[in-house]
Amino acid sequence: MNRIVVIGSCNMDIVVLADKRPAAGETIMGNELHIAHGGKGANQAVAAARLGAEVTMVGCIGADAYGQMILDNLKENHINTDYIVTVPNTTTGTAHITLAEGDNSIIVIAGANAKVDQSVVDNAWSAIEQADLVMVQNEIPIPTIEYIVRRCHEANVKVLLNPAPAADLNPEWLELATYITPNEHELSALYPNQSTEETLLANENKIIVTLGSKGVGYADNGEIHTVSGFKVEPVDTTGAGDTFNGAFATAIVNGKSLADALHYGNAAAALSIQRLGAQGGMPTKDEVAVFLAKN
């Protein structure tokens, strides 16, 4: 059984490369324009699907060209789109990224992602209740995330919550998730009065903190464990976290132990950062198998 339902954001990323940022009232010439698929939900769905999971995506798009592009892309990656809702008079979610002077500036328009509410979840419940794992992230409304976590807990459906971007979530329902996968910054936002070690030890085999090139950390039997990452030369780290989450989820639903699933997630993430783009760099099942055989 390897059925994963991802409930989350679907975005188009509009990336402009320029030598500098325009001052207020100024018009400048840019160098390049790139339009790419994004959104943490769609990214994680694509990552899991490429690794062989049976993935259903739940979310909202606008009735526009970007929405159609997102649907086509998900279908090309063999993802079930039956529960993606097209919202009239609303734009598809977008991220407007300016790359200039060695740094980026980003404006995110939530658009249809802000419309992922309880009714969208209820509409997809027949798929959700049969899932081996449900994945959710912080790019849809927080009340919807709480509803998902609580309802899945009541139905004994496992939930992986990737609390990104960082947000202040209520520990009362947060602890109902099966797995929580923050980075160090997101972890401190969730548990501001605890050290990383204290938080991990209080949430054994539940909270998995990603540590960048150092790998991932978790606690088991009163001890902190670190699953080391792979040493590779990074080309583009965009989407590495989403690749890790999709790979970890796929390994878990395929019966891997927690440690082995984390090792698998690290391998997929290491492959992804050696290529350009978030979804463009996501590896296939065979590519990860070859990489692990060599490492």
Side-chain angles (χ1 to χ4, degrees):
M1 308 295 281
N2 64 349
R3 291 171 298 194
I4 293 174
V5 172
V6 180
I7 310 172
S9 56
C10 299
N11 281 354
M12 292 302 297
D13 295 344
I14 296 99
V15 185
V16 172
L17 279 66
D19 294 329
K20 67 166 191 170
R21 287 177 180 77
E26 181 185 16
T27 299
I28 66 170
M29 296 300 291
N31 299 327
E32 296 178 36
L33 172 69
H34 298 275
I35 299 177
H37 293 278
K40 299 192 77 62
N43 285 349
Q44 293 179 19
V46 169
R50 287 193 185 162
L51 295 169
E54 182 184 320
V55 181
T56 295
M57 182 76 208
V58 178
C60 291
I61 55 174
D64 52 23
Y66 286 149
Q68 189 59 52
M69 289 167 67
I70 285 169
L71 278 181
D72 291 345
N73 178 63
L74 293 172
K75 289 174 182 175
E76 284 171 14
N77 281 282
H78 309 291
I79 293 167
N80 178 9
T81 61
D82 290 351
Y83 303 102
I84 292 182
V85 177
T86 301
V87 183
N89 305 314
T90 302
T91 59
T92 296
T94 50
H96 303 260
I97 304 162
T98 301
L99 297 176
E101 302 165 313
D103 208 344
N104 61 24
S105 303
I106 305 174
I107 299 175
V108 175
I109 309 295
N113 293 317
K115 305 294 186 181
V116 182
D117 58 15
Q118 292 185 13
S119 68
V120 173
V121 177
D122 291 343
N123 182 59
W125 187 251
S126 59
I128 293 168
E129 67 180 348
Q130 294 179 46
D132 299 298
L133 184 70
V134 169
M135 303 180 71
V136 64
Q137 318 77 30
N138 281 358
E139 289 185 339
I140 58 174
I142 301 300
T144 307
I145 299 171
E146 177 178 354
Y147 181 71
I148 293 163
V149 172
R150 287 188 182 278
R151 189 165 182 194
C152 285
H153 177 74
E154 291 169 2
N156 292 316
V157 176
K158 292 180 179 179
V159 175
L160 187 161
L161 170 60
N162 175 222
D168 181 13
L169 305 179
N170 188 338
E172 180 194 341
W173 61 263
L174 191 61
E175 66 182 21
L176 301 179
T178 314
Y179 304 105
I180 305 171
T181 58
N183 62 23
E184 291 174 285
H185 170 65
E186 292 152 2
L187 185 67
S188 64
L190 293 176
Y191 301 94
N193 301 315
Q194 295 180 353
S195 68
T196 298
E197 291 76 16
E198 289 171 333
T199 303
L200 293 179
L201 288 168
N203 295 274
E204 289 192 355
N205 298 305
K206 176 190 291 286
I207 293 184
I208 296 147
V209 59
T210 55
L211 305 168
S213 61
K214 293 181 287 184
V216 293
Y218 70 102
D220 181 45
N221 271 336
E223 294 182 9
I224 304 287
H225 300 272
T226 301
V227 180
S228 299
F230 295 85
K231 291 183 179 179
V232 296
E233 195 65 39
V235 173
D236 181 3
T237 59
T238 307
D242 294 331
T243 302
F244 168 82
N245 276 277
F248 168 71
T250 301
I252 283 291
V253 299
N254 281 316
K256 298 286 188 183
S257 68
L258 186 64
D260 286 347
L262 295 174
H263 184 67
Y264 189 80
N266 284 344
L271 278 170
S272 77
I273 65 174
Q274 295 178 73
R275 302 173 186 163
L276 287 171
Q279 293 184 20
M282 290 174 173
T284 64
K285 180 179 180 180
D286 289 345
E287 287 170 337
V288 177
V290 170
F291 180 79
L292 285 171
K294 292 178 178 178
N295 291 273

